[in-house]
């Protein structure tokens, strides 16, 4: 199955959280923070949203920083994705 977002939405896949601290301490999965860096796997066409024209500024393959509680999590073919609006993307990570 393939996900094709509509309007100004993007589909992202969260990148793995750090398993060790800078000091070398290994963290359990419950102690790890939810990652806020993700990779974009699909981008909607943009268009007019709420009466304003939206131009998509992100593209597939971009690594982005997102809001902590943004989007809707979905599971497709055993893989977890998050669908959110482009406005929930805070920055592109180089």
């Amino acid at each position: 199955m393939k996900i094709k977002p509509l309007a100004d939405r993007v589909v992202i896949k969260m990148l793995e959280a750090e398993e060790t601290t800078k000091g070398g301490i290994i963290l359990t999965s419950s102690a790890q923070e939810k990652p806020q860096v993700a990779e974009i796997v699909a981008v909607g066409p943009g268009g007019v949203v709420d009466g304003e024209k939206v131009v998509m500024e992100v593209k597939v393959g971009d690594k982005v920083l997102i809001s902590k509680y943004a989007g809707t999590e979905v599971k497709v073919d055993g893989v977890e994705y998050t669908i959110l609006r482009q406005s929930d993307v805070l920055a592109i990570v180089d």
Side-chain angles (χ1 to χ4, degrees), residues 6-9 44-56 85:
L6 302 175
D8 68 332
R9 289 182 172 79
V48 178
V49 177
D50 297 330
E52 294 183 27
K53 183 176 170 109
V54 175
V55 176
M56 299 307 283
R85 290 188 176 270

Side-chain angles (χ1 to χ4, degrees), residues 9 21 27 31 34 39 58 65 82 84:
R9 289 182 172 79
T21 64
L27 299 173
K34 181 178 174 186
E39 182 175 358
V58 294
L65 186 65
T82 303
L84 51 99

